[in-house]
Each structure stands twice: as structure tokens, then as C-alpha cells.
Amino acid sequence: MKKILGAVLCSALSFCAFAQNEVRYVVSFPNAIHHEAEIAMEIPNVPAGNLKVRMSRSSPGRYATHEFGKNVYNFKAFEASGKALVIKQTAGDVYEIPAHGNAVKITYTLFGNWIDGTYAGFDETHAHMNIPATFAFPVGMDARPRLVEFKYAEKQNWKVATQLKPMGKNTFYAPNFQYFMDSPIEIANYKTAKWEVKNHDGKVQTIHLIAHSNDTQAAVDKYADMLKKMVDEHYAVWRDFPVYDYGNYYFLNDVYPANAGDGMEHRNSTSIVQRTPKIEGYESNLLGTFSHEYFHSWNVERLRPKTLEPFNFEHSNISDELWLAEGFTQYYGGLLLTRAGLKTADNSIQAFNGMVNAVLNSPGAKNYSPIEASRYAVFADAGVAIDQTNKGNIFLSYYTYGAATALALDLTLRSEFKLTLDDYMRALWKAYGKPEIAYTVPDLEKTLSELTKNPSFAKAFFAKYIYGKEKNDYAKLLLNAGLVLRKANPGQAYAGFGNLNTSDGKMTLLQTSKGTPAYQAGLDVGDVILSIDGQEATNASVIDQVTKAHKPGDVVEIKYQYRGENKSTRLTFAENPVLEIVSIEKTGGTLTPAMQTFRDNWLNSQVKSK
């Protein structure tokens, strides 16, 4: 989190001044085999009156609410003397202590068995902790430092990895509540590799790979060498490393097939959880998460939307800017792997193809703007709900929407202004990221205006493509790089049924997308397809065969059943809307020298030239 450096770099003298006011935790794992941790919290100098202690309902890097309090039990409170205090549980994750002395000790048991970037997990092999999912906190004491001590003497091979400041004897320090909550922890018998990076000002910092995986040290070292190349390309974009607190950045990587999977950015570290047997042999598949999350150490950790400041741990922040914070990061995550030689140009083109198809063909993008997509994150970002939503028709992920917007802006800057998206990111970094000034959408527009020296262009771009729902001319933009955007299956009939549930011998529709022939025919979730064009719909291949036998504009009768009632409708096939991006060479066209240069400047390594 931002604006903590003054506290982070406090002297020993000032630390001693803090010590009498710090909130202290002690964590042990006597029942880790059954996924429990025991946590004690000591709060000194408690003000008179009602003391409120709670669990978080949100987490840095997440944008929806999460009920972390559900895994807390045996919650108790004591005076310094050991006398039990009366607790009133006023909400599922809120505990109030109306009468107490100057110091209060809280103890509770935490269950954790979900290994991802958001929750906590404990077993005989490790303790994996996202702080908001693990630690209760006293309300109103955010400025107080935190100390956390880990006790695991019975697990001799364990060791702690975290961006928190080590104080010795398995004790770690955070200057305040916000920093503490942004500092994931992995305790395990992990392997590690590290290397130094030098900034343009000569400052040297260390990057660490922490690998809790079934790999040899040689495999971890080999993977670290790949990450070095990736990091070099990230630096080439920004031309300035963030100042990592305490001079270190940590990739906390947990790899095992039973993991939930995830990647979660933090100020000086990232928690990356992957679902492969190990790293070795899967390196290429795992790099994307590393690249995305590392880009976040600039974009969103320091180059930060004002809507996320201050981060609210009692409910989720709603943000207008996730199309840039997450979407632009998504765009660069894959692109920089191609520049580093760790992915091919075809890999990037395939990713661009997915972005363009989504933004041009999904109803969520056709009817809603990137800002509206960003706001929906409070419901979409791993938020838990049991009722069905209409998300498929009203929402396109801000990751994808923003990435497609980044692609268009990058190509526009290159073709019209002899600039690049890298230039834009550096301008934002200089104005808002490096000084850690939270930005707004108008600030983003202002920076684009200043960079291009063309206020009318910046105003129009934001009006059309950020606030508005218009779409960029991707075909024209991509052609600059000798890439052709075209229909993947021209003249092919398309019904738009989407995925079908084929259980129990029935062909049951899931939600249909607005604008598709199926939607226009009045078909939707729960409809059981009985026949199409007179043929019994015994399996999906029957539907495919009938579709292939027709052309766009043909009309067929569909008989179906909904809630036990037999019905029929008429469906008019459309042309398959799926697009593809292919190199002009593969179409039989000519790749001109200008196109080749454009493509090379875009997709090739920037390390030597910058």
C-alpha cells in the first residue's frame, strides 16, 4: 500500500518509541495437519470505551467482498492479568468488548485450507497466509505498527518468506496496518534463488524467487534465469525500478496440483499459486502470471487509482479505473514475455485475437463501457453468489476490455504519433506513480493529452472508448504491423447456442448471449432442445451437423421443452462472427518493409534500445 515509506525507514530510536503502542501477534500451528492455526493478538494502550475487533471483508488486489470471518472460532478476550472479558459478537466478523483494562489479549483459532492469493491454508507442508484472511485487527488503530511472531519449532525445515521487515527470532515488523495487510507470508521448506537489479540511479535491489514446489534447486535456478529476462523487459518499459521497501522484492510461488491457483500483487511481493505438479517442465505455462503480477509493482501498487485509496477493509472499494490498472497490465503481461523471447510472436498475436474478439463480439462490451466494466468488479472479482446473474450479457472482464483498449492505444500512438504505450506508461509513472499521487480518469486523459500534444485526440479517445462504448478500428490498426483481422469462418452459419449441458441424455441450454440467433429466437437457460430442423437433438454433434448444412439467413424450426412444457420457435442463422488475426504473409499478401519495422519495434526486445 502507499505512503508508508517514512514509517518503513524509521530509525531504531523511532521504532522504540513505537514499540509501546504496537499491536503484536503470535502464530502457532499445533494442529496444522487439520488445517488450523492458533493466533494471539496483544493490544496495549487500549482507549477507554468499547473496543471493536474484526476480520477484514476485503483484500488488497481483490475488488469484491469476502467473508474471512467465517473461518474464525474459539474467539476469546483477556485482561493482562489473564481474566476473561465479555465479548459481544455484533456481526459475523465483528467482536466488541465493552469493558476492559489498558491492555487486551485476543486469541482465536483459524481454519484455512484454500491455497490461493486471497485466503489462507495450513497443513504439514506449509503455512500460506494472505493477511486479511488470517489476522483480526482492532478498529481505529491503523497507524500503529504491527509485530508478528511465528512459532513452528516442531517443523524444523520451515522458514519464513515475506516482504515484512525481519526483526530476528521469527518476528517481523510492519510500520502500520495498511502495510501489514498488504504483506503475504509463506512458511515452508522452500527453495530460493535471487539476483540483483540496478536502477538508472545506481541503486541496487534484490529480487527473490521463493519456490514451495517439488523441484530441484537446479530447476528453480533455471526458472529464475527466465524471470531475469522477464524483469529486464519490464524495466525497459518503465526505465525506473520502484523503490522496494527494505530493498527486496519477493515472488512467493506455491506449486501443487491441488492448489486453488491465483496470482495476487502486493507492494513488494506477489503471491503466485499454481496448479501444476512442479515448475520444471511447465515453465512456459507459468510465466504469464509472473509477468502480470510483476507489472503490478508499478501499475496499481504505486501508479494507483484514487478510488482505491485508502483501501477499505470493511467492504470493497468500487473503482472506475480497473480497465487500466488490470487491463493494461494484462496486455503487457504477455507482450513482455514475447519481447523477452520467452513466448513467440504468435503467442502474442493469439492473445490479441482473444482480446479483439471479446471486445467486438461480446454483448458486455457492445453495451457497456470500460468504466462500467470496472465498477462491476465488486460483484465479479471472485465474489461469491449462489443465484444466477446476467453477467454474460452485461459484463466483459475489465482485464480483457482494458487489454484490448491498451492494444488499440498502443497501435494508435505508434501509427499516428510516433509514440508508444510504453511512453504513456512512463508519463503516468513520472506524474503519479513515482511520487505516489493517486490518479483519476481525468488525470489519465490529461497525461495522454500532454504526451501527444493533441488535446482533441485525448478527449475524443476517452469520450469514445473509455467513457463511451465505441470500438476502435482494430483491422486498420493491426494492418500497420502486417496483421490482418478477418472473419475466421466466412459464410458459415451460426446459431449461438454456446455451451450445452449434456447431462442425463438431454441437451440443455445455458445462458444465451444477447444478439445471437438463439437469443433472438427466445431461447435461454434451462431450455431442453428436443429437435432442430426436424432432427432429434440426441447430442451436440447433431446440432453441429444441422448448422453446417445451412447458410446464414436460413430459418429452421426448433422444438424444445421448458419446465415440462413443449414449445417451438424459429431460428434464423447468422454468419459466424468469430474473428481471427493472421499475418499478412499467411494470407498471400505482401509484408512491406514498413510493416516489418512496425512489427519488430512493437514485439521485439526493448532492452538494448533503451
Side-chain angles (χ1 to χ4, degrees):
M1 310 304 285
K2 68 186 290 275
K3 293 187 178 177
I4 48 77
L5 290 181
V8 168
L9 302 177
C10 64
S11 66
L13 181 62
S14 61
F15 177 78
C16 291
F18 277 136
Q20 62 181 345
N21 219 30
E22 70 203 10
V23 177
R24 183 183 181 95
Y25 297 91
V26 178
V27 186
S28 59
F29 312 95
N31 199 27
I33 196 169
H34 292 297
H35 314 294
E36 288 183 340
E38 298 298 328
I39 300 175
M41 173 175 59
E42 298 176 1
I43 313 169
N45 298 325
V46 181
N50 189 50
L51 169 63
K52 183 185 290 186
V53 175
R54 65 166 300 137
M55 292 294 292
S56 175
R57 296 188 71 231
S58 62
S59 180
R62 287 259 84 106
Y63 308 109
T65 54
H66 297 269
E67 302 299 344
F68 297 124
K70 66 184 180 301
N71 284 326
V72 170
Y73 41 93
N74 300 331
F75 193 96
K76 299 175 183 178
F78 303 91
E79 293 271 16
S81 64
K83 177 184 176 182
L85 295 170
V86 174
I87 301 172
K88 295 181 179 179
Q89 188 172 359
T90 56
D93 45 22
V94 178
Y95 303 85
E96 297 188 11
I97 305 167
H100 53 80
N102 181 63
V104 174
K105 181 178 181 179
I106 304 291
T107 64
Y108 60 93
T109 303
L110 178 74
F111 178 85
N113 192 27
W114 193 254
I115 312 300
D116 72 352
T118 306
Y119 294 95
F122 312 105
D123 57 36
E124 287 293 272
T125 70
H126 70 154
H128 175 90
M129 286 168 278
N130 181 38
I131 303 298
T134 307
F135 292 94
F137 60 91
V139 176
M141 302 183 190
D142 292 6
R144 294 193 183 193
R146 264 58 175 176
L147 275 181
V148 55
E149 177 186 359
F150 299 103
K151 294 185 176 182
Y152 49 86
E154 71 280 9
K155 298 173 178 61
Q156 296 296 325
N157 293 325
W158 280 17
K159 46 190 180 290
V160 180
T162 179
Q163 69 177 38
L164 293 170
K165 183 179 181 180
M167 304 301 291
K169 298 182 179 179
N170 290 331
T171 300
F172 299 82
Y173 167 81
N176 54 44
F177 173 67
Q178 288 276 332
Y179 190 92
F180 181 60
M181 295 292 269
D182 194 38
S183 304
I185 298 165
E186 180 76 23
I187 312 178
N189 182 23
Y190 55 76
K191 294 180 176 67
T192 185
K194 63 182 180 180
W195 68 97
E196 292 183 341
V197 292
K198 181 182 286 188
N199 207 2
H200 59 85
D201 60 3
K203 181 178 177 62
V204 175
Q205 302 181 96
T206 304
I207 298 180
H208 305 256
L209 170 60
I210 307 297
H212 179 218
S213 64
N214 294 320
D215 284 287
T216 64
Q217 184 62 50
V220 172
D221 291 339
K222 177 184 174 183
Y223 195 57
D225 288 339
M226 299 173 77
L227 294 179
K228 290 177 189 177
K229 296 178 181 178
M230 179 200 82
V231 167
D232 287 345
E233 291 295 343
H234 282 252
Y235 178 72
V237 172
W238 301 96
R239 301 184 188 175
D240 188 34
F241 278 112
V243 176
Y244 299 125
D245 306 324
Y246 315 119
N248 295 284
Y249 183 90
Y250 297 88
F251 290 107
L252 305 179
N253 191 205
D254 197 292
V255 182
Y256 192 69
N259 287 344
D262 200 6
M264 192 58 60
E265 73 276 3
H266 298 276
R267 183 175 173 86
N268 308 297
S269 61
T270 182
S271 177
I272 298 177
V273 179
Q274 295 168 314
R275 303 180 65 184
T276 58
K278 54 184 179 179
I279 295 172
E280 188 174 24
Y282 300 88
E283 293 92 344
S284 182
N285 294 335
L286 304 181
L287 284 168
T289 307
F290 279 81
S291 188
H292 179 101
E293 301 306 334
Y294 187 60
F295 199 82
H296 272 316
S297 67
W298 289 271
N299 188 31
V300 92
E301 286 301 327
R302 291 164 177 85
L303 178 57
R304 194 161 177 81
K306 193 171 184 178
T307 46
L308 296 181
E309 288 294 323
F311 197 85
N312 192 324
F313 289 96
E314 297 188 15
H315 63 78
S316 55
N317 295 56
I318 192 167
S319 177
D320 290 350
E321 298 89 3
L322 299 184
W323 55 271
L324 185 133
E326 293 290 355
F328 278 39
T329 301
Q330 185 76 2
Y331 171 72
Y332 271 108
L335 174 62
L336 296 186
L337 293 177
T338 292
R339 288 183 181 174
L342 300 169
K343 293 282 189 178
T344 66
D346 284 343
N347 291 142
S348 277
I349 292 169
Q350 184 179 14
F352 302 151
N353 184 64
M355 298 169 195
V356 172
N357 264 288
V359 83
L360 294 182
N361 287 325
S362 72
K366 288 179 180 178
N367 300 305
Y368 299 89
S369 70
I371 287 178
E372 289 172 311
S374 298
R375 291 172 181 166
Y376 197 79
V378 295
F379 304 115
D381 186 34
V384 178
I386 60 173
D387 60 321
Q388 292 186 7
T389 71
N390 199 27
K391 187 167 72 172
N393 284 316
I394 65 172
F395 173 70
L396 173 64
S397 170
Y398 41 88
Y399 287 84
T400 307
Y401 212 156
T405 304
L407 170 64
L409 182 56
D410 198 359
L411 296 176
T412 301
L413 290 173
R414 290 173 183 274
S415 60
E416 295 185 18
F417 295 95
K418 306 306 178 186
L419 295 165
T420 72
L421 194 66
D422 298 8
D423 295 314
Y424 182 52
M425 300 311 292
R426 284 193 291 271
L428 290 174
W429 175 252
K430 182 179 179 180
Y432 302 102
K434 192 175 182 69
E436 300 202 44
I437 300 170
Y439 66 80
T440 64
V441 176
D443 291 329
L444 300 177
E445 180 182 330
K446 176 185 175 184
T447 303
L448 185 61
S449 173
E450 293 171 346
L451 176 68
T452 60
K453 298 180 175 59
N454 191 327
S456 61
F457 163 74
K459 183 177 181 179
F461 188 90
F462 273 76
K464 292 178 180 179
Y465 309 124
I466 306 302
Y467 296 106
K469 305 163 192 173
E470 293 186 48
K471 302 297 173 276
N472 287 275
D473 188 344
Y474 287 95
K476 178 182 177 182
L477 291 170
L478 287 162
L479 193 58
N480 288 291
L483 299 176
V484 176
L485 178 65
R486 66 186 186 184
K487 287 283 183 73
N489 301 288
Q492 185 181 92
Y494 168 76
F497 288 131
N499 293 326
L500 291 162
N501 185 340
T502 59
S503 61
D504 301 324
K506 297 180 179 180
M507 305 296 296
T508 305
L509 286 177
L510 302 178
Q511 184 180 39
T512 56
S513 294
K514 188 175 182 179
T516 62
Y519 187 97
Q520 301 287 37
L523 297 168
D524 210 333
V525 62
D527 290 339
V528 179
I529 306 300
L530 302 176
S531 68
I532 177 171
D533 200 24
Q535 295 193 43
E536 185 180 359
T538 54
N539 54 61
S541 64
V542 172
I543 296 174
D544 290 340
Q545 290 168 9
V546 170
T547 302
K548 289 177 181 178
H550 286 82
K551 61 182 184 297
D554 287 353
V555 180
V556 295
E557 182 183 33
I558 293 179
K559 292 183 179 180
Y560 66 101
Q561 188 179 81
Y562 181 69
R563 293 178 67 92
E565 181 180 353
N566 289 336
K567 297 185 173 187
S568 68
T569 186
R570 294 175 68 80
L571 180 145
T572 303
F573 287 112
E575 184 180 29
N576 193 317
V578 175
L579 303 167
E580 65 177 2
I581 300 173
V582 294
S583 64
I584 196 168
E585 310 94 290
K586 294 179 180 178
T587 69
T590 301
L591 178 68
T592 67
M595 290 175 177
Q596 182 70 69
T597 299
F598 190 106
R599 189 188 297 177
D600 290 344
N601 289 341
W602 176 29
L603 300 180
N604 287 358
S605 175
Q606 305 296 299
V607 171
K608 292 182 180 179
S609 62
K610 296 183 180 181

Coordinates of all heavy atoms in Angstrom, one line a residue, residues 347-396:
N347 N 2.3 -16.3 -30.1 CA 1.6 -16.4 -28.8 C 0.9 -15.0 -28.5 O -0.2 -15.0 -28.0 CB 2.6 -16.7 -27.7 CG 3.1 -18.1 -27.7 OD1 4.3 -18.3 -27.4 ND2 2.3 -19.0 -28.0
S348 N 1.7 -13.9 -28.8 CA 1.1 -12.6 -28.5 C -0.1 -12.3 -29.5 O -1.1 -11.8 -29.1 CB 2.1 -11.5 -28.7 OG 2.9 -11.3 -27.5
I349 N 0.1 -12.7 -30.7 CA -1.0 -12.5 -31.7 C -2.2 -13.3 -31.3 O -3.4 -12.8 -31.4 CB -0.5 -12.9 -33.1 CG1 0.6 -11.9 -33.6 CG2 -1.7 -12.9 -34.1 CD1 1.3 -12.3 -34.8
Q350 N -2.1 -14.5 -30.8 CA -3.2 -15.3 -30.3 C -3.9 -14.6 -29.2 O -5.1 -14.6 -29.1 CB -2.7 -16.7 -29.9 CG -3.8 -17.6 -29.5 CD -3.3 -19.0 -29.1 OE1 -2.1 -19.2 -28.8 NE2 -4.2 -19.9 -29.0
A351 N -3.1 -14.0 -28.3 CA -3.7 -13.2 -27.1 C -4.4 -12.0 -27.7 O -5.6 -11.7 -27.2 CB -2.6 -12.8 -26.2
F352 N -3.9 -11.3 -28.6 CA -4.5 -10.1 -29.2 C -5.9 -10.5 -29.8 O -6.9 -9.8 -29.8 CB -3.6 -9.4 -30.2 CG -2.3 -9.0 -29.7 CD1 -1.2 -8.9 -30.5 CD2 -2.2 -8.6 -28.3 CE1 0.0 -8.4 -30.0 CE2 -0.9 -8.2 -27.9 CZ 0.2 -8.1 -28.7
N353 N -5.8 -11.7 -30.5 CA -7.0 -12.2 -31.1 C -8.2 -12.4 -30.1 O -9.3 -12.0 -30.4 CB -6.7 -13.5 -31.8 CG -7.8 -14.1 -32.6 OD1 -8.3 -13.5 -33.6 ND2 -8.4 -15.2 -32.2
G354 N -7.8 -13.0 -29.0 CA -8.9 -13.1 -27.9 C -9.4 -11.8 -27.4 O -10.6 -11.7 -27.2
M355 N -8.5 -10.8 -27.3 CA -9.0 -9.5 -26.8 C -9.9 -8.9 -27.8 O -11.0 -8.4 -27.4 CB -7.8 -8.6 -26.6 CG -6.7 -9.0 -25.6 SD -5.2 -8.0 -25.8 CE -4.1 -9.0 -24.8
V356 N -9.5 -8.9 -29.1 CA -10.3 -8.2 -30.1 C -11.7 -8.9 -30.3 O -12.7 -8.3 -30.4 CB -9.6 -8.2 -31.4 CG1 -10.4 -7.7 -32.6 CG2 -8.3 -7.3 -31.3
N357 N -11.7 -10.3 -30.3 CA -13.0 -11.0 -30.4 C -13.9 -10.6 -29.3 O -15.1 -10.4 -29.5 CB -12.7 -12.5 -30.4 CG -12.6 -13.1 -31.8 OD1 -13.6 -13.2 -32.5 ND2 -11.4 -13.4 -32.3
A358 N -13.3 -10.6 -28.1 CA -14.2 -10.3 -26.9 C -14.8 -8.9 -27.0 O -16.0 -8.7 -26.7 CB -13.4 -10.4 -25.6
V359 N -13.9 -7.9 -27.3 CA -14.4 -6.5 -27.3 C -15.4 -6.2 -28.5 O -16.2 -5.3 -28.4 CB -13.2 -5.5 -27.3 CG1 -12.6 -5.3 -28.6 CG2 -13.6 -4.2 -26.6
L360 N -15.2 -6.9 -29.6 CA -16.1 -6.6 -30.7 C -17.3 -7.5 -30.8 O -18.3 -7.1 -31.4 CB -15.3 -6.8 -32.0 CG -14.1 -5.8 -32.3 CD1 -13.5 -6.1 -33.7 CD2 -14.6 -4.4 -32.2
N361 N -17.3 -8.6 -30.1 CA -18.4 -9.6 -30.3 C -19.2 -9.8 -29.0 O -20.3 -10.4 -29.0 CB -17.9 -10.9 -30.8 CG -17.5 -10.9 -32.2 OD1 -18.2 -10.2 -33.0 ND2 -16.5 -11.6 -32.6
S362 N -18.7 -9.5 -27.8 CA -19.4 -9.8 -26.6 C -20.5 -8.7 -26.3 O -20.2 -7.5 -26.5 CB -18.5 -9.9 -25.4 OG -18.0 -8.6 -25.0
P363 N -21.7 -9.1 -25.8 CA -22.7 -8.0 -25.5 C -22.2 -7.2 -24.4 O -22.6 -6.0 -24.3 CB -23.9 -8.9 -25.1 CG -23.4 -10.2 -24.8 CD -22.2 -10.4 -25.7
G364 N -21.4 -7.7 -23.5 CA -20.9 -6.9 -22.4 C -20.1 -5.7 -22.8 O -20.2 -4.6 -22.3
A365 N -19.3 -5.8 -23.9 CA -18.6 -4.7 -24.5 C -19.4 -3.8 -25.4 O -19.2 -2.6 -25.4 CB -17.3 -5.2 -25.2
K366 N -20.3 -4.4 -26.1 CA -21.2 -3.7 -27.0 C -22.1 -2.7 -26.3 O -22.3 -1.6 -26.8 CB -22.0 -4.6 -27.8 CG -21.3 -5.4 -28.9 CD -22.2 -6.3 -29.7 CE -21.4 -7.1 -30.7 NZ -22.3 -8.1 -31.4
N367 N -22.5 -3.0 -25.1 CA -23.5 -2.2 -24.4 C -23.0 -1.5 -23.1 O -23.7 -0.8 -22.5 CB -24.7 -3.1 -24.0 CG -25.3 -3.8 -25.2 OD1 -25.7 -3.1 -26.1 ND2 -25.4 -5.1 -25.2
Y368 N -21.7 -1.8 -22.8 CA -21.2 -1.2 -21.5 C -19.8 -0.7 -21.8 O -19.0 -1.3 -22.6 CB -21.2 -2.2 -20.4 CG -22.7 -2.6 -20.1 CD1 -23.2 -3.7 -20.7 CD2 -23.5 -1.9 -19.2 CE1 -24.5 -4.1 -20.5 CE2 -24.8 -2.2 -18.9 CZ -25.3 -3.3 -19.6 OH -26.6 -3.7 -19.4
S369 N -19.4 0.4 -21.1 CA -18.0 1.0 -21.3 C -17.0 0.3 -20.4 O -17.3 -0.4 -19.4 CB -18.1 2.5 -21.0 OG -18.3 2.6 -19.5
P370 N -15.7 0.6 -20.7 CA -14.7 0.1 -19.8 C -14.8 0.5 -18.3 O -14.6 -0.2 -17.4 CB -13.4 0.6 -20.4 CG -13.7 0.7 -21.8 CD -15.1 1.2 -21.9
I371 N -15.3 1.7 -18.1 CA -15.5 2.2 -16.8 C -16.6 1.5 -16.1 O -16.5 1.1 -14.9 CB -15.8 3.8 -16.8 CG1 -14.6 4.5 -17.1 CG2 -16.4 4.2 -15.5 CD1 -14.8 6.0 -17.2
E372 N -17.7 1.2 -16.8 CA -18.8 0.4 -16.3 C -18.4 -1.0 -15.9 O -18.8 -1.6 -14.9 CB -20.0 0.4 -17.2 CG -20.7 1.7 -17.3 CD -21.7 1.8 -18.4 OE1 -21.5 1.4 -19.5 OE2 -22.9 2.2 -18.1
A373 N -17.5 -1.6 -16.8 CA -16.9 -2.9 -16.5 C -16.1 -2.9 -15.3 O -16.2 -3.8 -14.4 CB -16.1 -3.4 -17.7
S374 N -15.3 -1.8 -15.1 CA -14.5 -1.7 -13.9 C -15.4 -1.7 -12.6 O -15.0 -2.3 -11.6 CB -13.7 -0.4 -14.0 OG -12.8 -0.5 -15.0
R375 N -16.5 -0.9 -12.7 CA -17.3 -0.8 -11.5 C -18.0 -2.2 -11.1 O -18.2 -2.4 -9.9 CB -18.4 0.2 -11.8 CG -17.9 1.6 -11.8 CD -19.0 2.6 -12.3 NE -18.5 4.0 -12.4 CZ -19.2 4.9 -13.0 NH1 -20.3 4.7 -13.6 NH2 -18.7 6.1 -13.1
Y376 N -18.2 -3.0 -12.1 CA -18.8 -4.3 -11.8 C -17.9 -5.3 -11.1 O -18.3 -6.3 -10.6 CB -19.3 -4.9 -13.1 CG -20.3 -6.0 -12.9 CD1 -21.7 -5.7 -12.7 CD2 -20.0 -7.4 -13.0 CE1 -22.6 -6.7 -12.5 CE2 -20.9 -8.4 -12.8 CZ -22.2 -8.0 -12.6 OH -23.2 -9.0 -12.4
A377 N -16.6 -4.9 -10.9 CA -15.7 -5.8 -10.3 C -16.1 -6.1 -8.9 O -15.8 -7.2 -8.3 CB -14.3 -5.1 -10.2
V378 N -16.9 -5.2 -8.2 CA -17.3 -5.5 -6.8 C -18.2 -6.8 -6.8 O -18.4 -7.4 -5.7 CB -18.0 -4.3 -6.2 CG1 -17.1 -3.2 -6.0 CG2 -19.2 -3.9 -7.0
F379 N -18.7 -7.2 -7.9 CA -19.5 -8.4 -8.0 C -18.8 -9.5 -8.7 O -19.1 -10.7 -8.4 CB -20.8 -8.1 -8.7 CG -21.7 -7.0 -8.2 CD1 -21.9 -5.9 -8.9 CD2 -22.2 -7.1 -6.9 CE1 -22.7 -4.9 -8.4 CE2 -23.0 -6.1 -6.4 CZ -23.2 -5.0 -7.1
A380 N -17.8 -9.2 -9.6 CA -17.3 -10.2 -10.4 C -15.9 -10.7 -10.0 O -15.6 -11.8 -10.4 CB -17.1 -9.6 -11.8
D381 N -15.2 -10.0 -9.2 CA -13.8 -10.4 -8.8 C -13.8 -11.5 -7.7 O -13.5 -11.2 -6.6 CB -13.0 -9.2 -8.4 CG -11.5 -9.6 -8.2 OD1 -11.0 -10.4 -9.0 OD2 -10.9 -9.0 -7.3
A382 N -14.1 -12.7 -8.1 CA -14.1 -13.8 -7.2 C -15.2 -13.7 -6.1 O -15.1 -14.3 -5.1 CB -12.7 -14.1 -6.6
G383 N -16.1 -12.8 -6.4 CA -17.2 -12.6 -5.4 C -18.1 -13.9 -5.4 O -18.3 -14.5 -6.4
V384 N -18.6 -14.2 -4.3 CA -19.4 -15.4 -4.1 C -20.9 -15.1 -4.1 O -21.4 -14.3 -3.4 CB -19.0 -16.2 -2.8 CG1 -19.8 -17.4 -2.6 CG2 -17.5 -16.5 -2.8
A385 N -21.6 -15.8 -5.0 CA -23.1 -15.7 -5.0 C -23.6 -17.0 -5.5 O -23.0 -17.7 -6.3 CB -23.5 -14.6 -6.0
I386 N -24.8 -17.4 -5.0 CA -25.4 -18.7 -5.4 C -26.5 -18.5 -6.4 O -26.9 -19.4 -7.1 CB -25.9 -19.4 -4.2 CG1 -27.0 -18.6 -3.5 CG2 -24.8 -19.8 -3.2 CD1 -27.8 -19.3 -2.4
D387 N -27.0 -17.2 -6.6 CA -28.0 -17.0 -7.6 C -27.4 -16.7 -8.9 O -26.3 -16.2 -9.0 CB -29.0 -15.9 -7.1 CG -28.2 -14.6 -7.0 OD1 -27.1 -14.6 -6.5 OD2 -28.8 -13.5 -7.3
Q388 N -28.1 -17.0 -10.0 CA -27.7 -16.7 -11.3 C -27.7 -15.2 -11.6 O -28.6 -14.5 -11.1 CB -28.5 -17.5 -12.4 CG -28.3 -19.0 -12.3 CD -29.1 -19.7 -13.5 OE1 -29.6 -19.0 -14.4 NE2 -29.1 -21.0 -13.4
T389 N -26.8 -14.8 -12.4 CA -26.7 -13.4 -12.8 C -26.8 -13.3 -14.3 O -26.7 -14.3 -15.0 CB -25.5 -12.7 -12.3 OG1 -24.4 -13.2 -13.1 CG2 -25.2 -12.9 -10.9
N390 N -27.0 -12.1 -14.8 CA -27.0 -11.9 -16.3 C -25.6 -11.4 -16.7 O -25.5 -10.7 -17.7 CB -28.0 -10.9 -16.7 CG -28.4 -11.0 -18.1 OD1 -28.3 -12.0 -18.8 ND2 -28.9 -9.8 -18.7
K391 N -24.6 -11.8 -16.0 CA -23.2 -11.3 -16.3 C -22.8 -11.5 -17.7 O -22.1 -10.7 -18.3 CB -22.2 -12.0 -15.3 CG -20.8 -11.4 -15.3 CD -20.0 -11.9 -14.2 CE -19.6 -13.3 -14.3 NZ -18.6 -13.7 -13.3
G392 N -23.1 -12.6 -18.3 CA -22.7 -12.9 -19.7 C -23.2 -11.9 -20.7 O -22.6 -11.7 -21.7
N393 N -24.2 -11.2 -20.3 CA -24.8 -10.2 -21.3 C -24.5 -8.7 -20.9 O -24.8 -7.8 -21.7 CB -26.3 -10.4 -21.4 CG -26.7 -11.6 -22.3 OD1 -26.1 -11.8 -23.3 ND2 -27.6 -12.4 -21.8
I394 N -24.0 -8.5 -19.7 CA -23.8 -7.1 -19.2 C -22.4 -6.8 -18.8 O -22.1 -5.7 -18.5 CB -24.7 -6.8 -18.0 CG1 -24.4 -7.6 -16.8 CG2 -26.2 -7.0 -18.4 CD1 -25.1 -7.2 -15.5
F395 N -21.5 -7.8 -18.9 CA -20.2 -7.6 -18.4 C -19.1 -8.3 -19.2 O -19.2 -9.5 -19.6 CB -20.1 -8.2 -17.0 CG -18.7 -8.2 -16.3 CD1 -18.1 -7.0 -16.0 CD2 -18.0 -9.3 -16.1 CE1 -16.8 -6.9 -15.4 CE2 -16.7 -9.3 -15.5 CZ -16.1 -8.1 -15.2
L396 N -18.1 -7.6 -19.6 CA -16.8 -8.1 -20.1 C -15.8 -7.8 -19.1 O -15.6 -6.6 -18.7 CB -16.5 -7.5 -21.5 CG -15.1 -8.0 -22.1 CD1 -15.1 -9.5 -22.3 CD2 -14.8 -7.2 -23.4

